[in-house]
Amino acid sequence: MEVSILHYLRYILFDIHFFHQMKRRWVKKNRALYDALIAEMMDLQPEGSIDDVSLDELTFTVFDLETTGFFPRMGDEVISIGAMKVNANHIKFPEHFYEVVRPFKPVSDDVTELTGLSRKDIKEGEPFLVGFFRFVQFMSNTVIVAYPASFDVVFLKELSKRWGLSKFNPYFVDAYEIANYLYPNEKNSLDHLIKRLGIEKRMRHHALNDAHMTAEVFMYLVDELKKKEIYTYGDLQKITKDRRNPVLRS
């Protein structure tokens, strides 16, 4: 999806200045918290290589975002984050995460209708930095999984940079790229996979529901990878390194 000229002009002439103005106000009001979050983020970065670690030995955090739009570099924001942990190919209950996030800009009717989040829900949500930090704590020492990573991981990377948290660089897996590797001649959207694999369908575009369904899809995909002798994180990276993926270029 391309950025329209109108969208670009609005961002340059208004949104970028509005965001930085609101950011300065928030940081000034919450300076101690902001500094503490930056310090904690520095301690949560992955160390060393996990290329030789078996997929069965890793814990994965499968997550999904709901957002105000598709363009984080053009001012769109997160409105909710949902995540499930998967370990040894099993969903780990009750280890799930859900946070509604309050964006700076008003949310459109289309977004509230799509996600089921009311304006009251969003208004009562946490500021992005607080919700994001809680998510980082939740996914610490795991590999994050998204469908696709080229949207969800990029979105978090871009927003973390805008907030001055440029060190967010987790290990990740793109479940969509795995599906494309396993089923090169099939339609591999999340909806298609849910239907094809007979996974119980929950209300879509709710971040926790989507994370739960993605976790079930991911577990199935991992089993299929083993049949092709793909056993480690390093093996997985070799088959999903699509150079068109902006996550891999950053």
Side-chain angles (χ1 to χ4, degrees), residues 85-250:
K85 282 188 179 176
V86 177
N87 182 267
N89 221 19
H90 295 285
I91 294 178
K92 296 183 69 178
F93 290 107
E95 291 194 56
H96 62 271
F97 175 91
Y98 183 66
E99 191 81 63
V100 176
V101 175
R102 183 175 71 250
F104 286 143
K105 295 190 299 182
V107 178
S108 70
D109 292 338
D110 289 342
V111 169
T112 57
E113 183 176 346
L114 180 68
T115 62
L117 289 170
S118 68
R119 285 189 169 77
K120 183 175 184 293
D121 294 331
I122 295 169
K123 185 177 180 180
E124 293 175 351
E126 294 286 2
F128 168 76
L129 209 61
V130 175
F132 176 62
F133 179 67
R134 289 175 181 171
F135 172 68
V136 170
Q137 288 182 309
F138 178 80
M139 51 76 62
S140 180
N141 297 314
T142 72
V143 176
I144 60 175
V145 180
Y147 203 108
S150 57
F151 177 76
D152 297 87
V153 177
V154 165
F155 216 105
L156 289 183
K157 279 177 172 282
E158 289 300 322
L159 285 190
S160 67
K161 287 177 184 177
R162 289 172 68 193
W163 277 96
L165 303 173
S166 58
K167 295 294 184 180
F168 180 65
N169 188 33
Y171 289 112
F172 73 92
V173 171
D174 192 325
Y176 179 61
E177 291 297 332
I178 296 174
N180 287 336
Y181 169 80
L182 291 170
Y183 315 115
N185 300 314
E186 302 283 350
K187 294 180 178 179
N188 293 318
S189 70
L190 183 58
D191 285 317
H192 281 104
L193 263 292
I194 290 168
K195 183 177 181 179
R196 202 156 72 229
L197 301 181
I199 290 169
E200 179 185 353
K201 190 167 185 178
R202 295 168 171 81
M203 185 186 78
R204 287 281 276 117
H205 304 295
H206 179 286
L208 185 56
N209 285 346
D210 283 358
H212 194 155
M213 290 184 287
T214 301
E216 294 190 60
V217 167
F218 179 66
M219 289 190 292
Y220 181 90
L221 296 178
V222 169
D223 283 340
E224 293 299 297
L225 288 172
K226 292 174 185 175
K227 296 176 184 177
K228 293 183 176 291
E229 299 185 349
I230 295 170
Y231 299 116
T232 68
Y233 180 77
D235 294 337
L236 194 56
Q237 287 296 89
K238 290 176 184 177
I239 69 166
T240 58
K241 282 193 174 181
D242 182 346
R243 300 317 302 175
R244 295 167 298 176
N245 189 329
V247 178
L248 299 170
R249 296 201 306 269
S250 58

Side-chain angles (χ1 to χ4, degrees), residues 1-12 15 70-71 73-74 76:
M1 184 175 294
E2 296 181 354
V3 179
S4 69
I5 293 176
L6 183 61
H7 197 152
Y8 179 75
L9 288 175
R10 176 182 170 82
Y11 178 68
I12 295 298
D15 288 345
F70 299 103
F71 308 110
R73 293 179 181 176
M74 292 289 107
D76 285 322

Side-chain angles (χ1 to χ4, degrees), residues 37-53:
L37 294 180
I38 291 178
E40 289 288 343
M41 284 287 294
M42 296 293 289
D43 294 333
L44 290 172
Q45 301 313 303
E47 295 182 2
S49 172
I50 61 170
D51 283 357
D52 296 329
V53 179

Side-chain angles (χ1 to χ4, degrees), residues 18-82:
F18 175 75
F19 173 82
H20 287 295
Q21 182 182 41
M22 296 298 290
K23 174 186 171 182
R24 283 195 295 270
R25 289 180 184 175
W26 191 90
V27 171
K28 183 177 180 180
K29 185 178 179 181
N30 301 275
R31 186 78 233 186
L33 175 59
Y34 182 72
D35 290 342
L37 294 180
I38 291 178
E40 289 288 343
M41 284 287 294
M42 296 293 289
D43 294 333
L44 290 172
Q45 301 313 303
E47 295 182 2
S49 172
I50 61 170
D51 283 357
D52 296 329
V53 179
S54 165
L55 297 177
D56 285 340
E57 295 175 0
L58 292 169
T59 297
F60 297 92
T61 298
V62 185
F63 81 102
D64 180 75
L65 303 178
E66 296 303 326
T67 64
T68 61
F70 299 103
F71 308 110
R73 293 179 181 176
M74 292 289 107
D76 285 322
E77 301 175 77
V78 170
I79 58 171
S80 63
I81 309 172

